[in-house]
Amino acid sequence: MAQTTAQSLHTAIHTLREELAGAFAAVTTQADAESFRITYLSRNGKVAALFESMKSLPGPDKPVFGKLLNELKKSVEATFAEIASRIEAASASTASRVDLTLPGRTLPLGSIHPVTQTLNEIKSIFVAMGFDIADGPEIEDDYHNFEALNFHPHHPARDMQDTFFVSKDVLLRTHTSPVQIRTMKKQKPPIRTIMPGRVYRNEAISARSYCTFHQVEGLYVDKNVSFSELKGTLVAFAKQFYGSDINYKFRPSYFPFTEPSLEMDISCFLCKGKGCRICKQSGFLEVLGAGMVHPNVLRNVGIDPEEYSGYAFGMGIDRTALLRHGINDIRLLFENDVRFLRQF
Amino acid sequence: MDVDASPDDIAQKLTSAGLEVEAVENLGEKFDKFVVGYVKNVVKHPKADKLSLCDVEIADGAVIRVVCGAPNVAAGQKVPVALVGALIPSNMHDPEGKPFTIARAKIRGEESNGMICAESELGLSQDAAGIMVLKDSARVGMPLSEYLGMDDVAFEIGVTPNRPDCLGHIGVAREIASAYGVPLTLPAAPVTENQNDPVAAAAVVRVENSADCPRYAARVVKNVTIGPSPGWMQDRLTVAGVRPINAVVDVTNYVMLEYNQPLHAFDYDRLAGHTIVVKTALPGEKFTTLDGKERPLPENALMICDAERAVAVAGVMGGQNSEITSATVNILLESAYFNPVSVRKTSKQLGLSTDASYRFERGIDPSATVEAVNRAASLIAEIAGGAVCAGVIDEYPAPVEVKRVRVRPSRVNQILGTAIAPQEITGYFTSIGIGVTSAREDEIECTIPAWRPDIEQEIDLVEEVARLHGFSNIEDKMVSEIDFSNKYVSAATTDRVRTWLADNGFNEIVSNSLLDEATAAMFSDKLVKLMNPISKEQSVMRPNLLVSLLQTVVHNSHYGTDSMRVFEMGRGFTVAHPAETDVVIPGFRERDLTGICLTGKAAAQTWFGAERAVDIFDMKGVVSALLNKIALDKYRFIYYDGQDALTDQRVGVEINGVYAGYFGRVAAEICRKLKIETGVFVAELSFDALDERERVFRQYVPVLKYPVVERDAAFIVANDVPSSSIEATIRESGGILLRSVELFDLFEGKSVGEGMKSVAYALRFASAERTLTETEIEHVMNAVIAAVTTNHRAVLRAVETK
Ligand SMILES: [Zn+2]
């Protein structure tokens, strides 16, 4: 073995320090750590070798270098311990590592039809106002669908509703209004009911019209029910349903079973009343028809029009659903393509 | 009527009064930037022989230079000039006649600032031979639309069936006059008559059915010239959507539009005996109408006849045998009031709706009959020449009584929720011609003009007040006290079923309940058929939801979607026997159903598992969970419910002891016919047996405080022993300590022997009072094993403690 001098030991320590810097950086796995330990910190390692070579130094140099080497050893051991523990922690998590980017086990996503969703919202608003819910048959007789509603057998207003007949006096209801008659015959005032349901019109199927669609009818009969209150109720509904910032207007209209009759227009919620293709540039959409229950209708169901008055209103659901969801063809509502349905 | 208001303001007022203006067309708009010009000077174009340079005065002192190619242009003419920016509707130099806009241009080096137009370029006629030369009286700078009398505004009004009076211009004018508070003057109809030719000698009218024809008026005009009507009349008719034909027919239509009184002109010389007889058609009678079609006449159709034959279907259409032709010289004008119901019935049965029948069936003004025929006679004499016979025939045996209707101001205000003074109410009435015969604070008595057949009772007058007062002047108030006497339970069963299904991955569908008969017939022989379907594809009602579910499967398979979870809540319709009394409409049954459908894959092939096709146990799991949730525990499955043609693997469902539907696999034969290739599993359930109003709450069962002990027991048993009966035996023999039984393994194979299966159950024991001992459990297990081996000839394979 070459004679160790203070000079040569100095150089050796310096060289080892430089080497260690690189060696520490290279330790990334547990195997790296083990070979580092063997190379530098074992009994035959490079640090121990320096202690060995110190033994042949001249006497007075020994304590100086002894202190120097002890410090070196401590610092290397401390750094190594830190790296080793970090690697250990990392490798512990590596053992259970999962590819979290794999797709999850899916649950099937169901949906409620947009028409039902729209209807449910309308229902909940009126239920909160104290309305009950009633229904009646879709196959109706002429009496309930027309006659009791003040359409006498040769009333020209029958032309407003193209009708499917299944026999001479039995038809598919053209509106939900016959349920008004059935409700008033069954119940004494006060009556406050909404009547949702499916109706039929003998019209050719196109993007804008379908032979079947859905309506909600409303009826309130009590003492002192007024036109003013009808308007108030409709405004309250419209603000709930379409938004409190809408504009609205009422126009006189005609239905044989109500008088006075009105139609309500609300500012187009698509263009905020500025005018667009959907509202035909008018800025308004026709949303419902209503009026005071005609005294003839009240008489037909055995309610005295002198004692009671009432209002009724009706609106289509499908068209609203189309507008709300940006659907441009009513046929899509009845085709039941699941790629369509899954979007809601 | 003198109203100074913009067209939009008038439209808004009409709409507020209940006459909805659907469109306002400014007829003069297409002549925007067209004016009357005066040609001051014409010189030849220096570089083009056929062109001239014209200096045209277009306003006082304003002169523009225009290059013109027409040979007939000359100084001193008044001409139509299109200014820069005007849109020429038809370019005569373009092969397709496309429109173009006038721009400042240089033509062969000469500046041109407009165009002098030919009639064809203005869309006025086909005449393209040269420029149009206007009358000398035309004022320079005047808008061309004004010169042409085409500066009108057309309102398109949606007239509701209760306002027949507004099917005539006078009726609409009355509403406008009322809205602006101005007087209305009706067109004067002075008739110059030939006193030497009294109508009484010229024609006879006899009404045999005065119930259907309460009034019949006629005039005779002789020596008319059948030619075109004047341009102004043709223009107005065209705007109103009526095709001009000849002067006589045009006048009848024109007066109809004014007075809402349909008129008919007969060729007087083709009326046998110069006689009109109004009577009911004979059974089996046929008649050829103006449109050349021979039609069998409906029973009780009211006919206009001459001395020998029918000449018109009253109120609907005239006959070919008496129509006005170019050879017509003398005419008889009919102005009648026919019974609305009679006209409607005849029109419906003939399938023939005309401008006349549309008006008659809604009810015209029986007091305007003579006025209208006078107006027509005077216009015909003016336009088509001829002499009007002296006098009017007016068969009106029982004049329509003036209706008197009373209205109480208090009632008006009660119904409307207003406080309108009685004086204000009478003011509204008189403004639209309703007479007020007495006005007290508590009651106003009105006489209703004959043109308002819709006003019959108090409420009709309330409506008049509402619309004339203005809906926007009636406050929007909500005074109703909320009254919770109503019975709606928010968590209605259907809503809960729908929510559960959607939350569990089912897509709600809404299908057409009309379909083709051939498909529907596969599902029921009690189909409800439409008498008047739109098409074969929508001619019967669906008998059940199964057919809608399967149509949805078919529809989606066309787009490559083979796996589906869908449901529908709707109705099935069948005919019912007349003796069935539990239906609303006799002869028809409607059932509220919930249909559920599963098809395709229950699980797709994924990185963590293999794919699996849906089977009956997927559907059973869905139905069990749904019923558990919705019907609480009040349901029962009926296994081997029997087969029908529609399903196999069918299981019946009972709710509250009432049969409520089934679930199963759609029969292969049905799938084959519908070209469905995957297995389809369906459920069709009715929740009628659940009373929505009955508040049922699931009752709490205390949770166990003591440990649960598990034992597994496996048996070998004949493979035709139903699992459910082994389970029942275990439950029964396990007593109260047995908390649950679950089948966790099932297999057949050589190892268990031919015709046998191995079934393994997990049993869980616990007590509510104490910790169970080994001995206690041993005792119960022995009882269970003994019962199963005895009752089902089973062999115990193993018992395992967990
Ligand atoms: Zn809009």
Side-chain angles (χ1 to χ4, degrees), chain B residues 171-307:
Chain B
V172 176
R174 196 179 288 123
E175 289 291 333
I176 297 175
S178 157
Y180 288 97
V182 297
L184 178 69
T185 316
L186 296 183
V191 188
T192 312
E193 297 175 330
N194 177 0
Q195 298 301 332
N196 299 326
D197 192 358
V199 72
V204 178
V205 171
R206 198 167 70 242
V207 177
E208 289 183 2
N209 181 349
S210 61
D212 288 344
C213 177
R215 189 172 196 181
Y216 196 103
R219 270 192 179 270
V220 173
V221 186
K222 291 188 175 166
N223 294 316
V224 297
T225 312
I226 304 295
S229 60
W232 62 266
M233 183 176 276
Q234 293 197 21
D235 289 346
R236 289 182 178 186
L237 289 173
T238 305
V239 167
V242 177
R243 193 165 52 88
I245 294 168
N246 61 49
V248 171
V249 175
D250 289 358
V251 166
T252 61
N253 284 327
Y254 189 82
V255 174
M256 174 182 77
L257 293 174
E258 278 184 339
Y259 285 80
N260 190 35
Q261 168 66 59
L263 300 172
H264 187 67
F266 293 100
D267 185 328
Y268 172 81
D269 298 305
R270 295 166 80 187
L271 293 174
H274 299 156
T275 297
I276 291 286
V277 183
V278 185
K279 62 183 184 185
T280 309
L282 300 170
E285 199 177 338
K286 286 183 177 165
F287 183 70
T288 304
T289 40
L290 269 178
D291 53 7
K293 288 196 183 117
E294 186 182 73
R295 300 166 186 269
L297 292 173
E299 208 185 328
N300 294 326
L302 187 69
M303 300 301 293
I304 309 300
C305 307
D306 61 14

Side-chain angles (χ1 to χ4, degrees), chain B residues 415-452:
Chain B
I415 294 278
L416 299 182
T418 47
I420 304 173
Q423 297 73 16
E424 207 179 333
I425 294 174
T426 55
Y428 291 138
F429 292 157
T430 49
S431 78
I432 53 165
I434 293 176
V436 174
T437 50
S438 86
R440 298 202 316 259
E441 278 296 307
D442 60 340
E443 192 173 86
I444 299 166
E445 194 190 66
C446 301
T447 51
I448 309 304
W451 63 76
R452 290 300 301 272

Side-chain angles (χ1 to χ4, degrees), chain B residues 325-348:
Chain B
T325 65
S326 52
T328 299
V329 178
N330 304 315
I331 58 170
L332 182 141
L333 285 170
E334 164 197 291
S335 175
Y337 175 77
F338 298 116
N339 181 321
V341 172
S342 158
V343 173
R344 183 171 167 86
K345 279 184 179 167
T346 305
S347 153
K348 282 270 156 193

Side-chain angles (χ1 to χ4, degrees), chain A residues 51-327:
Chain A
F51 276 101
E52 194 60 37
S53 55
M54 183 185 75
K55 286 177 183 165
S56 54
L57 273 182
D61 286 346
K62 277 186 186 171
V64 181
F65 277 93
K67 199 175 167 230
L68 207 63
L69 282 175
N70 270 324
E71 276 168 12
L72 175 69
K73 191 182 172 201
K74 270 186 193 153
S75 107
V76 173
E77 276 171 350
T79 308
F80 175 72
E82 191 191 310
I83 290 172
S85 83
R86 201 176 67 219
I87 287 169
E88 193 173 359
S91 74
S93 79
T94 309
S96 64
R97 181 193 275 166
V98 172
D99 179 1
L100 296 175
T101 66
L102 285 172
R105 294 191 175 87
T106 51
L107 293 172
L109 279 183
S111 57
I112 289 179
H113 196 278
V115 167
T116 314
Q117 288 187 28
T118 308
L119 170 61
N120 283 347
E121 203 176 316
I122 295 171
K123 278 203 294 202
S124 66
I125 293 169
F126 284 110
V127 165
M129 290 184 191
F131 281 77
D132 194 358
I133 296 182
D135 200 359
E138 291 173 29
I139 300 178
E140 235 336 332
D141 54 24
D142 185 274
Y143 174 78
H144 288 89
N145 196 78
F146 288 125
E147 203 164 342
L149 289 164
N150 206 26
F151 290 82
H152 64 70
H154 302 287
H155 203 299
R158 288 184 176 222
D159 289 351
M160 294 159 87
Q161 303 184 355
D162 291 320
T163 311
F164 283 121
F165 287 93
V166 294
S167 73
K168 188 170 156 284
D169 291 316
V170 180
L171 43 84
L172 304 191
R173 67 177 178 197
T174 55
H175 48 185
T176 41
S177 310
V179 191
Q180 282 185 32
I181 301 297
R182 294 186 176 278
T183 304
M184 288 191 283
K185 282 195 158 175
K186 218 159 46 190
Q187 227 177 303
K188 289 278 145 270
I191 296 167
R192 185 163 23 196
T193 304
I194 59 163
M195 295 148 276
R198 186 181 282 216
V199 303
Y200 300 82
R201 296 280 170 90
N202 193 343
E203 284 169 10
I205 294 177
S206 72
R208 304 228 316 262
S209 80
Y210 205 75
C211 54
T212 181
F213 56 96
H214 302 80
Q215 282 186 340
V216 189
E217 192 90 3
L219 174 71
Y220 180 28
V221 182
D222 203 346
K223 290 178 175 158
N224 292 314
V225 175
S226 72
F227 191 74
S228 170
E229 187 175 357
L230 165 62
K231 286 179 63 201
T233 305
L234 295 178
V235 170
F237 163 75
K239 290 194 165 179
Q240 281 279 309
F241 188 67
Y242 294 105
S244 53
D245 56 340
I246 52 150
N247 290 319
Y248 58 88
K249 58 187 185 193
F250 293 100
R251 280 183 285 116
S253 187
Y254 172 73
F255 310 105
F257 44 100
T258 54
E259 187 166 19
S261 303
L262 64 80
E263 276 181 77
M264 184 181 194
D265 297 340
I266 60 147
S267 50
C268 175
F269 54 82
L270 299 168
C271 63
K272 299 274 172 237
K274 289 190 197 80
C276 67
R277 192 177 52 81
I278 301 298
C279 59
K280 298 194 188 97
Q281 308 307 329
S282 70
F284 279 89
L285 296 170
E286 264 180 51
V287 291
L288 55 81
M292 299 304 291
V293 180
H294 198 288
N296 290 356
V297 174
L298 292 175
R299 278 184 213 109
N300 287 341
V301 296
I303 293 176
D304 179 3
E306 282 297 308
E307 191 179 353
Y308 293 103
S309 56
Y311 63 65
F313 56 84
M315 68 189 100
I317 303 167
D318 308 65
R319 208 170 80 91
T320 311
L322 296 185
L323 293 175
R324 281 155 70 100
H325 296 286
I327 303 164

Side-chain angles (χ1 to χ4, degrees), chain B residues 359-662:
Chain B
R359 287 174 164 81
F360 280 121
E361 64 186 50
R362 278 159 178 74
I364 61 161
D365 178 359
S367 68
T369 318
V370 169
E371 213 177 317
V373 79
N374 286 348
R375 166 81 168 152
S378 101
L379 278 171
I380 288 173
E382 180 188 324
I383 289 166
V388 182
C389 290
V392 188
I393 298 175
D394 184 15
E395 283 298 305
Y396 194 22
V400 174
E401 258 180 63
V402 173
K403 276 183 290 184
R404 287 173 195 281
V405 180
R406 278 191 267 262
V407 61
R408 292 160 293 173
S410 60
R411 182 73 174 160
V412 171
N413 288 317
Q414 184 191 23
I415 294 278
L416 299 182
T418 47
I420 304 173
Q423 297 73 16
E424 207 179 333
I425 294 174
T426 55
Y428 291 138
F429 292 157
T430 49
S431 78
I432 53 165
I434 293 176
V436 174
T437 50
S438 86
R440 298 202 316 259
E441 278 296 307
D442 60 340
E443 192 173 86
I444 299 166
E445 194 190 66
C446 301
T447 51
I448 309 304
W451 63 76
R452 290 300 301 272
D454 60 309
I455 300 179
E456 287 177 330
Q457 48 178 297
E458 188 176 34
I459 192 70
D460 302 316
L461 289 171
V462 174
E463 178 185 43
E464 293 305 302
V465 175
R467 69 180 186 88
L468 295 172
H469 186 66
F471 283 8
S472 57
N473 295 323
I474 299 174
E475 191 193 344
D476 305 337
K477 58 182 178 210
M478 240 184 125
V479 293
S480 51
E481 310 97 60
I482 300 292
D483 161 6
F484 289 104
S485 64
N486 287 307
K487 292 147 293 288
Y488 178 70
V489 178
S490 61
T493 304
T494 46
D495 293 345
R496 294 168 61 215
V497 170
R498 177 181 287 116
T499 308
W500 189 91
L501 286 166
D503 287 351
N504 283 281
F506 287 84
N507 299 108
E508 185 187 17
I509 64 171
V510 173
S511 332
N512 192 346
S513 27
L514 300 174
L515 74 160
D516 69 286
E517 188 171 350
T519 304
M522 291 162 57
F523 296 84
S524 174
D525 54 5
K526 296 181 186 169
L527 296 177
V528 176
K529 298 173 190 177
L530 299 185
M531 294 170 76
N532 56 337
I534 327 169
S535 68
K536 251 176 66 192
E537 283 67 42
Q538 283 99 29
S539 58
V540 300
M541 303 202 74
R542 64 175 173 200
N544 52 29
L545 294 190
L546 176 59
V547 60
S548 295
L549 295 170
L550 293 178
Q551 285 187 315
T552 300
V553 170
V554 171
H555 178 81
N556 280 281
S557 70
H558 293 157
Y559 298 96
T561 310
D562 294 321
S563 291
M564 258 183 297
R565 297 159 71 88
V566 295
F567 73 102
E568 176 157 16
M569 305 187 73
R571 290 184 182 171
F573 307 85
T574 46
V575 292
H577 191 274
E580 295 177 49
T581 51
D582 59 333
V583 292
V584 182
I585 300 293
F588 300 95
R589 180 173 297 282
E590 293 186 26
R591 291 178 305 151
D592 274 302
L593 296 168
T594 297
I596 309 172
C597 172
L598 277 174
T599 187
K601 291 167 192 160
Q605 171 71 49
T606 58
W607 62 273
F608 52 77
E611 73 171 38
R612 181 172 71 77
V614 170
D615 66 24
I616 189 69
F617 298 103
D618 289 301
M619 185 50 94
K620 185 178 181 184
V622 167
V623 173
S624 314
L626 170 64
L627 291 176
N628 239 313
K629 201 77 191 170
I630 305 301
L632 304 180
D633 301 318
K634 299 181 293 185
Y635 72 94
R636 193 168 75 85
F637 287 151
I638 306 158
Y639 295 105
Y640 311 106
D641 189 34
Q643 309 277 326
D644 65 4
L646 303 177
T647 49
D648 52 31
Q649 295 187 347
R650 180 183 169 109
V651 176
V653 177
E654 238 178 35
I655 297 177
N656 273 347
V658 179
Y659 189 82
Y662 68 91

Side-chain angles (χ1 to χ4, degrees), chain B residues 724-739:
Chain B
S724 62
S725 62
I726 303 175
E727 214 180 292
T729 302
I730 296 173
R731 280 184 195 283
E732 201 181 310
S733 54
I736 58 159
L737 298 181
L738 179 65
R739 296 285 160 172

Side-chain angles (χ1 to χ4, degrees), chain B residues 34-42 50-56 66-82 88 92-93 114-122 124-135 144 147:
Chain B
F34 287 81
V35 296
V36 173
Y38 174 68
V39 184
K40 291 186 86 163
N41 188 26
V42 178
K50 291 188 175 163
L51 297 178
S52 341
L53 309 179
C54 314
D55 291 323
V56 185
V66 172
V67 177
C68 181
N72 65 332
V73 68
Q77 287 170 334
K78 297 271 176 75
V79 292
V81 183
I88 304 291
M92 64 161 84
H93 304 296
M115 184 171 120
I116 302 175
C117 304
E119 285 192 23
S120 67
E121 287 163 329
L122 295 171
L124 296 175
S125 76
Q126 299 299 316
D127 187 359
I131 56 160
M132 182 181 184
V133 180
L134 308 179
K135 285 184 200 143
L144 187 65
Y147 170 84

